[in-house]
Amino acid sequence: MSHDDPSWVPAASLGRRSFLGASAGTLGALAAGCDLHRPEELVPYVRRPPEVVPGVSDWYATAALRGGYAIGLLAESREGRPLKIEGHPEHPMSRGGTGPREQASVLTLYDRDRLEAPREDGTARSWAAFARSFGPRSVRPFVGRRGEGLALWLPPSSSAVLARRLAALRERYPRATIVFDPTSAPTPRWEGTRRAFGRPLDVQIDLARADRAVFLDADALVEGPAALALARDWAHRRTPGEGMLRTYAFEGAVTSTGVSADHRLPTPPGAIGRLALALLAALRDGVSPPEGVPHAEAVRAVARDLDAHRGRSAVVAGERQPAAVHALAALLNATLGNVGRTVRYRESALLEAASGAFDPSRLFDALDADAIDTLVIADANPVYAAPPSFRFAERAARATRTVACAAFANETAASADWALPSLHPLERWGLHHAHDGTPTARQPLIEPLVDGTTPEGLIARLLGEDPSPREAVAAAVAERADASLDEVLSRGFFAAADETVTPRPRFDELPSLAEEIAAEARADDALALDLRPDARVGEGEDAENAWLQELPEASTQLVWDNAALLAPAEMARLGLRDGDVVALALAGGDASVRLPVLGVTGQAEGTVVAWLGFGRRRGGRVARRVGVDVTPLRTVTGVPRVHLEATGERRDLARTQHHHRLEHDEPIYRRADLEAWRANPRLAPAGHETPPPSLHEAPDDGEPSDAARWAMAIDLSRCTGCKACVIACQAENDVPAVGKTQVALGREMHWLRIDRYLTEGDEVGFQPMLCQHCEHAPCEYVCPTNATVHSPDGLNVMAYNRCVGTRFCQNNCPYHVRRFNWFDYQRGRPAREQLVHNPDVSVRGRGVMEKCTFCVQRIRRAERYGEPGGLRTACQQACPSEAIAFGDRSDPSEPVSRWQRQPRAYSVLGELGTRPRVQYLARVDHPNPGLRERDGER
Amino acid sequence: MENAEALLLGRPSDRELTERFVTPGARAGGWLRVGLWTCAGLTGLLVLSIAYTVLTGIGTWGDRIPIGWGFAIANFVWWIGIGHAGTFISAILLLLEQPWRSSINRIAESMTLFAVVQAGLFPLLHLGRAWFFYWLVPYPSTMEVWPQFTSPLTWDVGAITTYATISLLFWYLGLIPDLAKARDTKTGRARKVFAVFAMGWRGSARHARHLKIAQLMLAGLATPLVISVHTIVSFDFAVGVTPGWHSTVFPPYFVAGAIFSGFAMTLTLVVPLRRWLGLEAVITRRHLDLLAKLTLATSLIVAYAYVVEPFLAWLSGAHFERHMYLEVRPFGPYAFLFWLTVACNVAVPQALWLRRVRHSPWVLFALSILINVGMWVERVMLVVTSQHRDFLPSSWDVYLPSWVDTSLFLGTLGFFGLLMLLTVRHLPIIPVTEIVEMKREELPDGPAEEGA
Amino acid sequence: MAPLPPSADFWLRVALFGGAALVVGVPVGLMLWFRSPLHLGIGQVVEQPIEFDHRHHTRDDGIDCLYCHHDARRSPRAGVPSTELCMGCHAQVWNEGRETRPLRASWAADRPIRWRRVHDAPDFVFFDHRAHFEGGVGCESCHGRVDRMAHVYQTEASTMGGCLECHRDPVPHLRPEDALTRMGLSPSRARGERVADRLGGVSPPTHCTGCHR
């Protein structure tokens, strides 16, 4: 349990705002009676930038990328240092929301293990040296006049600047091979739409207009470049009453989207195709249903429901489903007349989408023929992440010279001859396109902390062109917009012309699709393997981020690890317990990995779920030795089948929650069906009809009437459990990550956690749990030093510097939301990593209690300086589905007041008389009465 | 066999009594040296683990969320409880004029004093920032912030310090005449030292009278403490909202438990000392018999509390209460602690109904050890089980002590033993003066004092 | 029986009274120490990289505090002037000589001047200059007669008690806006009342999160 365990990596370090100095000083003073304060330095600017006001934040529009598509962001900058990422409220693909990975990106910026300068075989070199061996003059003789020997491996990109650079490159080297990583691109969707419509297209779902939606193994509310917008629309259609959306999810794994759906039907990923075909058969004459369709009864009911909502429904196929399923989904939408209404198709915003550039075979042939002299890999880590069938490392070795551009010394960079530092998104210029085509500008928030470059810059260097990015962006903007660069940068994006198309469906493809589907249905004893990029660390790109590593995974609450997830029934059958290590062997292959198993209630039987992105061999100190690398089991397309056998070994897994059932039947998590809600809007079970605490019958909570009464309401109907709020809170409040061993000891520090409960029928419910700011707080009266008390505006405040750490408040908190600094988690971080600290928050030292403050620093700042976009807590601001309302409850017009007045509002453990200021709106689902998969009597 | 009813065997003259019993430890054999070194070693362990904790952090313990209080607080409650028998014997039995208290009260009072020392360590150590302990003490600080008096922890400070002071005074006052006796029997440096601490006691009637008055006054002060101290300690739990703590039965329940464990510990000390120091003449089977009876009585009170607690929980009808008392404790992951508690504190003492058991010292010793274990396990059970499964299942967890927790506990056992043995070795562990008095009162027909 | 040494109870009494004195004396001593100017650093001059003389700049040259510390109006921090700002004048006046050499060096080498804090609130205290300005509290109330200081030093106790004194009864320390930076204005309740009325009441926070976050 020592805190120098390798996996123990604090998110951030002892900042200027640490009061440990003071406490240690006091120790000294007691011992020696010496002076407390070592004189600090005050270092003013020499020349002060006009826009900077020390101590006051500026906000800049920039962008993050998901699979190459842009998402508009606002980044907070204090004295020229990026502090916090927020969603861009006006950007169509963010609408103010963010995901955990966007929120956490700021931590990676300051990471101590970033590549600092170009390296050749591990020794630091200058860019001049790089130019000497790779500048245009020196490269040409090696790669040939027309570039036969030059190859580039790039991630999928929508960068306008990259487009220009590539054009220039092709002009100079027409025969150069350029490959976009196909495994991280929506190639199955493109192939599917090509077969259904004759052309590869991107799909845009509009849940604002749809009344019924079917998710075929698609985690659409959380995953992908359009998820934030989708979640927002979905949430707005979850308000109980008329016009409620109804969603069906057929999936193997237990995803946020499935949990949030009105109907979730566990279905092995290999059976989704048959299911889709059955749906189509039920909706369209002349289509014969396939054999062995799971949930046949349900499928008919769903089909009837869809039939009744033609033109107002949507069918969504999952990223990892084969092309055939995407084709069927497209044809289903066409059959239902959704195309152009709730489902819109457009040319992909990604460069050279679905072109040969996404087919690596040409490159591989060339490599096998030793025809490649210079192989450039930028912002990708194929040596680690590529499917074994690519034999990438081995092939890359055949190139005479390999150049890797990477943020960390990852597997690819380590094996390359040259490793070039890749700039962090917040250090970059760019003009990218969102999933809906919106051109989105990206501007750097800080001078690069490392001597690095970008794919665009790298190509420029190869061509000997001026790599300066600003001009390139200016030129790209000039081509597209009639606005000046500054205007574009200040808004962050500009409207694109509507490029949606209405393609003609090709139902004549159906027979061949049906054949493929039938072929999919194999009746062997192997399990279907659902390999998914991890929601936290992706395919390993974010493995260096301690905040994300310590983010509890949605379906298991597992941290700092990955595992093989199985249905509990399946585990019982195989005689496995959580933590038993099993060997997963690819059916008909020799690849095999050993990893621990975890049971997940609700997962489809016959399915193994495992997350990519773990078991990194090279990279920063956080990324290495976390979890198990499952890429050996990765296939290019289709659903891999695996055999599983126990090894007898065990592995400790750190989870933040061990009990998921409400073993004492307390209605802590409340949910009901729409009918039940109509019958009894209060939804309070017998014995719990306590009304939410009122302000007026509490004269004794000692608050002057004129003060604000800060309060929060959380709508459980809207929470998808994506955990963006958790990271947002962590970033805003300097919450440290404490590492696997500490979490295993129950010492995670998250101020805001997402509790996961199994309610009746083993349905999962997510419940954000944070300090409830009780009006009668049990923590307050037991604190011997007055360190936690009530503020006039009704906050339960925590004065860290008065806390002596008796932990009585934590014992006495019925919600156990208080967190204790068991060690000095913040000590000894290098200066650069300290820059991530929020200067408006005290960094907590060893031995003090801490907890959610309702972002009091934001409240106090808003009171005097005002907040851009109004006062919001970090969690509320990040939430893509607007599930959190926060504000002054004494103003009846505030959303929080309106929410708390709703009959379905309730206080968790309200019967204890704690009068929480946080209230929850019971979850109300909109199930299909004709579908008896679940019984309505809840 | 000798008369089991006698409080004093034979007809020893005052001088014999004095010479034999004023500092019996001085003649003690090798067992004492062995004991001293063992305890010294454990004390070293204590010092080390304290240093490690303070320098590194409470994270070195097994405490976690939701179990914020683990071994440390359990040990605190156990130690402070042990003290109570001493105060009971010296204060209450004095007021009740029980002559039999005389020969064992010094041992009991020493036990009290040293147990309080051990107990005092834990509340200090378990603070996240122990160096700010003084913030719990009301004093005018430059922060213009005062302790919060609604918190039982601030009451603890008062309760424990008072208790420690009274125990010390009581112990010392009783010691004075015996110190004087030691002074008069000893020679050389020892004599000087005893002389200083004997405060010039000459055994004059005036001295004796003043001493009696002082002791009676202190007894008057100490008697309520027997009740109040552990009552306040129990408030540390009863005042909280946690099911299993939030219970009005706690104060009497804790006090009974305290005295119970105290008598057990007295037996644990008296039986071997009596044998090894050859004190059979002054600590007779009668003493052991009476101690055993008191132990039995208190164990019955404790047993009653064990029954009442779950009954009240059931009666309350509150989900969480019932869940804690009727499911978690008897059948949860820590069920073995619960059943061990019941076995040691309720079942085992029933053997004391048998006269034969009460009169065979080593059987009593064995029982007393079991009871000590039982009471310690009960404290752990109370502290841990109540916290590990309370309101939100999402935060439920299990508690395991770390090696630091364990060595802290062993360390305090060692430190306690060290202080005890040093007293035995160097101080009048048998209150000769009182025994002489007792002899005069109880055996008026004794022979006239020779050479007087 | 031998007579006991007569010195016995004398030494005992010495020990007793000595012990008692210690028990009382040590805490009292500590309390006094923590209140002593020596510990609070009141009146202690801190060595600075530049012999900067506030007395000269404010009295002789009549430069307003806000000319250099202009952030005090709009930011929690009063701010220390950039080299550029200093050079604004010292490019013309005192543009040579020993005193301003470090300044010119900083300007030439584009290397910041590293001043040393005099008023150093603990890191867990969030003092907001703008809040105090808008509340009608002037520089002098906390910083003292800077116009009389050759070297700046603390004049007020930087203890929580010191802050609370004023936060509990701010009125005497309030000043009209035009007098915020004026020196030598003694506290006056009457004036304070007028200011408070103009500001529509002044109620500084006395709860934790007013200063600790």
Side-chain angles (χ1 to χ4, degrees):
Chain A
M1 59 188 290
S2 100
H3 51 300
D4 46 23
D5 162 288
S7 82
W8 184 82
V9 182
S13 51
L14 185 62
R16 297 192 327 284
R17 284 230 165 272
S18 152
F19 58 82
L20 180 95
S23 57
T26 317
L27 238 187
L30 290 175
C34 66
D35 184 81
L36 294 193
H37 305 298
R38 302 167 305 294
E40 252 176 40
E41 276 189 330
L42 280 165
V43 184
Y45 285 96
V46 174
R47 291 176 185 74
R48 176 160 147 185
E51 72 278 9
V52 169
V53 178
V56 179
S57 290
D58 297 314
W59 295 81
Y60 296 94
T62 182
L65 298 183
R66 283 189 178 193
Y69 298 96
I71 289 181
L73 298 179
L74 293 180
E76 179 183 14
S77 165
R78 182 77 61 89
E79 289 123 49
R81 126 197 182 211
L83 287 178
K84 183 80 170 63
I85 301 293
E86 302 295 358
H88 192 319
E90 295 159 24
H91 190 276
M93 286 295 108
S94 161
R95 294 163 68 180
T98 43
R101 292 176 66 184
E102 285 83 23
Q103 284 289 342
S105 62
V106 67
L107 180 64
T108 315
L109 170 65
Y110 299 111
D111 191 290
R112 70 172 88 170
D113 288 345
R114 289 179 64 186
L115 279 175
E116 299 285 330
R119 284 198 215 160
E120 183 178 12
D121 304 325
T123 53
R125 306 295 300 275
S126 71
W127 280 107
F130 178 77
R132 275 198 293 284
S133 27
F134 290 93
R137 231 165 277 87
S138 35
V139 144
R140 195 161 203 147
F142 295 102
V143 301
R145 268 189 62 261
R146 321 193 57 233
E148 303 81 354
L150 177 62
L152 274 71
W153 182 279
L154 301 166
S157 169
S158 62
S159 158
V161 177
L162 185 67
R164 295 165 59 86
R165 299 282 192 216
L166 286 178
L169 187 82
R170 285 223 175 78
E171 203 170 298
R172 175 81 62 85
Y173 303 114
R175 306 277 312 279
T177 324
I178 294 161
V179 180
F180 291 102
D181 181 352
T183 54
S184 48
T187 36
R189 168 166 299 126
W190 290 337
E191 176 58 14
T193 45
R194 196 185 55 71
R195 296 181 63 180
F197 295 132
R199 54 200 285 202
L201 296 166
D202 276 359
V203 188
Q204 288 173 260
I205 308 299
D206 183 355
L207 290 182
R209 297 215 205 140
D211 295 333
R212 300 289 183 269
V214 179
F215 296 105
L216 301 173
D217 191 23
D219 193 2
L221 297 185
V222 169
E223 193 180 27
L228 297 171
L230 216 54
R232 181 65 54 94
D233 287 334
W234 168 82
H236 289 168
R237 301 291 305 279
R238 287 282 287 173
T239 317
E242 292 313 315
M244 236 181 130
L245 174 64
R246 175 178 297 154
T247 54
Y248 303 89
F250 298 89
E251 58 183 18
V254 180
T255 71
S256 291
T257 307
V259 167
S260 315
D262 301 290
H263 289 285
R264 180 184 174 279
L265 298 100
T267 314
I272 294 288
R274 270 167 284 156
L275 201 140
L277 190 55
L279 270 178
L280 191 56
L283 286 162
R284 184 176 189 82
D285 309 335
V287 184
S288 54
E291 295 308 308
V293 179
H295 309 294
E297 187 47 45
V299 168
R300 272 189 289 284
V302 174
R304 277 195 299 280
D305 202 10
L306 290 175
D307 194 20
H309 294 83
R310 290 178 175 267
R312 286 180 291 117
S313 54
V315 180
V316 188
E319 299 289 338
R320 281 163 301 281
Q321 280 296 319
V325 173
H326 286 271
L328 286 171
L331 293 177
L332 270 166
N333 283 319
T335 310
L336 290 166
N338 299 333
V339 179
R341 294 195 177 84
T342 57
V343 182
R344 286 192 299 279
Y345 294 89
R346 72 183 307 281
E347 299 287 347
S348 174
L350 292 182
L351 300 179
E352 307 176 32
S355 75
F358 283 84
D359 171 16
S361 52
R362 244 186 71 236
L363 170 64
F364 292 159
D365 297 343
L367 282 166
D368 294 338
D370 293 326
I372 299 298
D373 171 82
T374 304
L375 171 62
V376 178
I377 305 161
D379 284 1
N381 188 10
V383 171
Y384 163 79
S389 61
F390 283 10
R391 308 207 324 275
F392 193 94
E394 168 196 341
R395 278 173 163 145
R398 300 181 75 106
T400 321
R401 306 185 297 175
T402 48
V403 177
C405 178
F408 298 91
N410 61 23
E411 293 79 355
T412 307
S415 63
D417 304 306
W418 278 78
L420 308 174
S422 172
L423 293 182
H424 186 276
L426 292 170
E427 297 168 333
R428 290 189 182 194
W429 288 90
L431 182 67
H432 300 260
H433 294 84
H435 186 254
D436 69 344
T438 308
T440 310
R442 168 187 260 174
Q443 60 182 320
L445 269 285
I446 188 171
E447 275 287 307
L449 298 170
V450 299
D451 187 8
T453 184
T454 60
E456 293 89 340
L458 184 52
I459 294 170
R461 289 172 192 276
L462 291 173
L463 298 172
E465 290 174 2
D466 160 31
S468 67
R470 195 176 190 282
E471 287 61 26
V473 172
V477 166
E479 274 178 5
R480 289 167 176 72
D482 43 17
S484 78
L485 178 62
D486 289 349
E487 287 163 5
V488 171
L489 290 180
S490 64
R491 182 155 181 242
F493 67 96
F494 52 92
D498 176 21
E499 292 164 353
T500 53
V501 296
T502 38
R504 279 190 47 262
R506 297 182 170 178
F507 289 99
D508 50 351
E509 277 285 328
L510 268 172
S512 67
L513 289 171
E515 277 169 33
E516 277 178 47
I517 297 298
E520 279 285 322
R522 260 163 298 167
D524 56 7
D525 60 341
L527 300 161
L529 174 62
D530 185 359
L531 274 187
R532 342 171 50 94
D534 185 74
R536 302 157 293 174
V537 302
E539 298 184 8
E541 308 93 322
D542 282 341
E544 178 62 18
N545 192 302
W547 291 350
L548 290 169
Q549 289 280 16
E550 198 158 307
L551 186 65
E553 190 276 334
S555 62
T556 58
Q557 304 282 43
L558 181 67
V559 300
W560 290 101
D561 234 324
N562 63 342
L565 310 187
L566 288 169
E570 195 115 48
M571 281 179 66
R573 193 160 52 249
L574 298 164
L576 292 168
R577 289 175 306 131
D578 286 351
D580 286 349
V581 176
V582 298
L584 286 181
L586 214 46
D590 47 7
S592 160
V593 299
R594 303 157 75 83
L595 73 169
V597 288
L598 267 184
V600 175
T601 313
Q603 182 170 317
E605 291 190 33
T607 313
V608 188
V609 177
W611 311 302
L612 298 161
F614 289 89
R616 294 282 308 278
R617 297 176 296 281
R618 308 297 293 270
R621 71 192 66 191
V622 183
R624 274 177 269 127
R625 293 191 306 281
V626 178
V628 181
D629 179 10
V630 293
T631 39
L633 302 178
R634 200 171 182 184
T635 54
V636 182
T637 53
V639 178
R641 323 262 310 162
V642 291
H643 293 287
L644 176 150
E645 71 188 49
T647 64
E649 296 167 29
R650 284 190 61 77
R651 183 184 160 97
D652 298 334
L653 296 169
R655 304 168 74 176
T656 59
Q657 187 180 347
H658 309 286
H659 297 259
H660 298 263
R661 296 185 188 281
L662 297 165
E663 298 182 19
H664 46 54
D665 38 4
E666 281 290 317
I668 288 163
Y669 183 91
R670 299 186 188 175
R671 71 192 291 172
D673 293 346
L674 189 59
E675 302 77 31
W677 173 78
R678 286 211 169 97
N680 164 23
R682 164 135 279 153
L683 292 175
H688 290 276
E689 293 82 359
T690 48
S694 124
L695 298 166
H696 310 296
E697 67 195 42
D700 54 339
D701 66 3
E703 299 179 29
S705 55
D706 60 336
R709 294 168 183 274
W710 301 112
M712 182 178 279
I714 299 174
D715 188 343
L716 298 177
S717 285
R718 289 181 165 197
C719 177
T720 64
C722 74
K723 294 194 165 82
C725 49
V726 177
I727 300 283
C729 172
Q730 191 156 25
E732 171 72 18
N733 295 301
D734 300 342
V735 174
V738 295
K740 179 178 176 179
T741 43
Q742 287 295 300
V743 175
L745 281 166
R747 293 174 179 177
E748 65 274 10
M749 295 298 285
H750 294 142
W751 287 4
L752 164 59
R753 64 175 195 259
I754 308 288
D755 287 345
R756 178 179 175 279
Y757 289 118
L758 292 171
T759 56
E760 293 83 344
D762 279 352
E763 294 188 42
V764 179
F766 290 120
Q767 182 171 52
M769 185 48 66
L770 64 160
C771 174
Q772 304 284 297
H773 291 270
C774 312
E775 288 177 0
H776 296 164
C779 54
E780 288 175 8
Y781 70 88
V782 295
C783 172
T785 57
N786 268 320
T788 184
V789 295
H790 237 65
S791 75
D793 45 1
L795 301 174
N796 166 254
V797 304
M798 181 71 217
Y800 313 116
N801 40 301
R802 176 68 180 174
C803 176
V804 294
T806 68
R807 306 190 290 293
F808 203 166
C809 53
Q810 185 282 128
N811 295 346
N812 217 39
C813 172
Y815 312 91
H816 288 301
V817 291
R818 293 181 154 259
R819 297 287 176 249
F820 186 68
N821 289 271
W822 302 95
F823 290 112
D824 191 352
Y825 292 121
Q826 304 278 26
R827 184 168 58 199
R829 323 305 321 148
R832 193 213 273 168
E833 288 190 349
Q834 296 180 24
L835 292 176
V836 79
H837 283 315
N838 180 351
D840 295 341
V841 173
S842 300
V843 170
R844 284 76 63 187
R846 185 238 293 188
V848 303
M849 195 59 74
E850 58 183 76
K851 62 157 198 92
C852 159
T853 63
F854 268 174
C855 287
V856 65
Q857 67 277 11
R858 289 185 174 206
I859 295 175
R860 299 291 171 244
R861 196 168 65 197
E863 285 168 348
R864 185 153 307 277
Y865 298 82
E867 289 277 276
L871 168 62
R872 281 164 300 174
T873 61
C875 48
Q876 172 191 25
Q877 188 166 9
C879 182
S881 51
E882 284 182 330
I884 301 176
F886 171 82
D888 177 0
R889 195 164 71 179
S890 63
D891 172 357
S893 68
E894 288 251 338
V896 65
S897 316
R898 293 203 304 274
W899 284 26
Q900 293 202 346
R901 278 200 304 274
Q902 287 193 33
R904 63 183 173 121
Y906 72 98
S907 322
V908 172
L909 302 178
E911 68 273 23
L912 296 180
T914 50
R915 300 173 171 276
R917 278 291 175 88
V918 177
Q919 287 188 22
Y920 295 82
L921 302 189
R923 171 170 169 173
V924 176
D925 287 327
H926 183 213
N928 181 344
L931 186 45
R932 285 277 130 254
E933 288 292 322
R934 70 204 256 169
D935 26 306
E937 63 266 12
R938 268 214 317 279
Chain B
M1 82 169 255
E2 92 267 342
N3 168 10
E5 293 312 309
L7 289 172
L8 179 59
L9 300 182
R11 287 268 181 278
S13 72
D14 296 2
R15 169 158 305 184
E16 284 166 26
L17 274 175
T18 311
E19 277 160 1
R20 267 180 62 200
F21 297 118
V22 70
T23 51
R27 299 185 305 277
W31 63 269
L32 185 60
R33 200 168 290 99
V34 176
L36 276 171
W37 281 115
T38 326
C39 294
L42 287 170
T43 312
L45 182 63
L46 175 69
V47 174
L48 285 180
S49 27
I50 288 178
Y52 185 54
T53 303
V54 173
L55 293 177
T56 325
I58 301 301
T60 57
W61 295 3
D63 297 14
R64 65 199 65 189
I65 293 180
I67 304 100
W69 290 350
F71 263 27
I73 299 304
N75 296 339
F76 160 65
V77 177
W78 186 69
W79 276 118
I80 202 99
I82 284 182
H84 280 58
T87 324
F88 186 88
I89 289 168
S90 40
I92 297 186
L93 294 189
L94 177 73
L95 293 180
L96 299 178
E97 298 183 336
Q98 293 295 315
W100 65 275
R101 64 176 278 286
S102 309
S103 21
I104 54 165
N105 70 354
R106 182 67 35 77
I107 297 178
E109 284 168 19
S110 313
M111 176 187 80
T112 301
L113 188 60
F114 303 147
V116 173
V117 171
Q118 314 309 325
L121 283 174
F122 288 102
L124 280 186
L125 287 177
H126 100 293
L127 295 180
R129 300 200 288 170
W131 48 92
F132 285 134
F133 72 94
Y134 58 90
W135 285 356
L136 274 72
V137 182
Y139 73 103
S141 87
T142 57
M143 287 177 279
E144 296 192 5
V145 180
W146 292 86
Q148 173 171 264
F149 300 105
T150 59
S151 168
L153 298 185
T154 50
W155 314 339
D156 268 356
V157 178
I160 295 164
T161 42
T162 320
Y163 193 44
T165 322
I166 298 278
S167 311
L168 179 65
L169 289 178
F170 220 114
W171 180 75
Y172 185 60
L173 276 184
L175 210 47
I176 289 173
D178 296 329
L179 289 170
K181 277 194 158 35
R183 173 198 63 200
D184 302 342
T185 48
K186 293 256 182 296
T187 55
R189 239 174 76 256
R191 175 194 173 88
K192 278 204 167 46
V193 176
F194 281 117
V196 169
F197 287 99
M199 298 182 93
W201 174 272
R202 264 177 254 83
S204 75
R206 258 179 77 249
H207 284 181
R209 205 169 123 270
H210 288 153
L211 182 66
K212 267 281 163 286
I213 293 168
Q215 278 180 322
L216 282 173
M217 276 163 58
L218 274 176
L221 285 173
T223 308
L225 280 184
V226 176
I227 309 302
S228 70
V229 173
H230 228 55
T231 301
I232 288 174
V233 169
S234 79
F235 284 163
D236 293 350
F237 306 94
V239 164
V241 300
T242 315
W245 286 2
H246 182 66
S247 161
T248 45
V249 78
F250 262 39
Y253 167 25
F254 265 50
V255 173
I259 297 171
F260 177 51
S261 61
F263 280 123
M265 184 57 92
T266 318
L267 277 170
T268 316
L269 295 172
V270 164
V271 171
L273 285 177
R274 168 175 183 271
R275 176 82 191 72
W276 293 339
L277 295 176
L279 305 175
E280 287 87 347
V282 283
I283 303 179
T284 64
R285 287 165 186 255
R286 171 92 189 282
H287 290 100
L288 303 183
D289 181 79
L290 288 163
L291 279 173
K293 282 176 175 160
L294 277 164
T295 315
L296 177 57
T298 41
S299 101
L300 291 176
I301 306 179
V302 172
Y304 173 73
Y306 288 170
V307 177
V308 164
E309 265 197 309
F311 171 72
L312 287 179
W314 171 81
L315 195 64
S316 74
H319 276 108
F320 300 113
E321 289 286 322
R322 286 183 170 185
H323 183 249
M324 173 55 59
Y325 281 101
L326 307 178
E327 289 166 45
V328 174
R329 275 198 188 158
F331 308 115
Y334 291 106
F336 69 99
L337 290 182
F338 176 80
W339 295 113
L340 191 58
T341 307
V342 173
C344 293
N345 300 349
V346 179
V348 167
Q350 302 314 315
L352 296 172
W353 289 103
L354 306 174
R355 195 166 189 283
R356 274 196 19 263
V357 172
R358 293 204 304 275
H359 281 256
S360 42
W362 290 108
V363 177
L364 280 179
F365 180 74
L367 290 188
S368 71
I369 293 287
L370 283 178
I371 292 169
N372 287 324
V373 172
M375 281 311 293
W376 182 76
V377 169
E378 183 213 69
R379 308 310 193 188
V380 175
M381 190 263 297
L382 278 181
V383 171
V384 172
T385 55
S386 312
Q387 289 177 83
H388 88 298
R389 291 193 174 186
D390 53 3
F391 296 101
L392 297 188
S394 63
S395 57
W396 291 359
D397 206 342
V398 290
Y399 167 85
L400 282 176
S402 77
W403 66 267
V404 184
D405 288 301
T406 323
S407 43
L408 275 173
F409 177 56
L410 295 178
T412 45
L413 284 177
F415 190 29
F416 176 77
L418 185 67
L419 295 172
M420 215 51 217
L421 289 176
L422 285 174
T423 319
V424 169
R425 173 83 180 71
H426 297 293
L427 295 180
I429 192 67
I430 296 301
V432 182
T433 324
E434 293 193 33
I435 292 178
V436 171
E437 273 174 35
M438 194 257 303
K439 186 187 79 179
R440 296 231 174 98
E441 287 160 8
E442 299 296 302
L443 319 160
D445 54 333
E449 194 62 44
E450 309 92 351
Chain C
M1 181 184 282
L4 62 126
S7 59
D9 24 339
F10 168 72
W11 285 116
L12 183 84
R13 298 205 170 108
V14 171
L16 282 179
F17 286 111
L22 221 63
V23 170
V24 180
V26 167
V28 170
L30 277 171
M31 284 189 201
L32 291 176
W33 162 250
F34 274 97
R35 287 163 171 78
S36 73
L38 203 62
H39 170 263
L40 297 170
I42 290 177
Q44 287 171 16
V45 169
V46 181
E47 190 58 34
Q48 297 290 2
I50 296 183
E51 290 274 316
F52 183 85
D53 187 339
H54 274 84
R55 181 182 52 192
H56 165 70
H57 283 78
T58 53
R59 298 261 284 312
D60 314 352
D61 305 342
I63 300 173
D64 187 274
C65 310
L66 287 171
Y67 182 81
C68 301
H69 305 289
H70 47 75
D71 288 338
R73 278 190 178 290
R74 50 177 183 167
S75 155
R77 312 227 215 112
V80 179
S82 62
T83 311
E84 193 173 21
L85 190 72
C86 306
M87 289 303 285
C89 298
H90 286 292
Q92 281 73 28
V93 303
W94 281 97
N95 49 12
E96 50 209 17
R98 188 180 54 80
E99 293 83 352
T100 54
R101 189 174 298 134
L103 178 68
R104 292 194 301 277
S106 148
W107 184 248
D110 193 23
R111 193 178 303 109
I113 306 164
R114 308 187 82 84
W115 301 93
R116 297 175 69 199
R117 270 189 189 286
V118 176
H119 299 86
D120 183 7
D123 290 345
F124 50 75
V125 173
F126 294 80
F127 182 93
D128 189 331
H129 279 85
R130 172 172 164 179
H132 286 80
F133 252 43
E134 291 177 346
V137 178
C139 314
E140 187 182 0
S141 306
C142 305
H143 294 283
R145 294 299 301 274
V146 178
D147 63 328
R148 288 184 183 162
M149 300 180 188
H151 302 280
V152 179
Y153 51 84
Q154 257 176 282
T155 57
E156 302 300 318
S158 60
T159 61
M160 182 166 159
C163 299
L164 280 173
E165 295 298 332
C166 188
H167 273 229
R168 285 175 179 149
D169 177 24
V171 174
H173 306 279
L174 302 183
R175 317 162 155 228
E177 195 171 0
D178 55 14
L180 286 172
T181 63
R182 195 182 305 153
M183 289 289 156
L185 212 63
S186 53
S188 140
R189 189 164 288 278
R191 192 201 319 118
E193 304 286 2
R194 285 198 301 279
V195 178
D197 295 344
R198 203 174 305 118
L199 293 171
V202 173
S203 55
T206 51
H207 59 83
C208 306
T209 54
C211 309
H212 306 299
R213 287 152 209 174

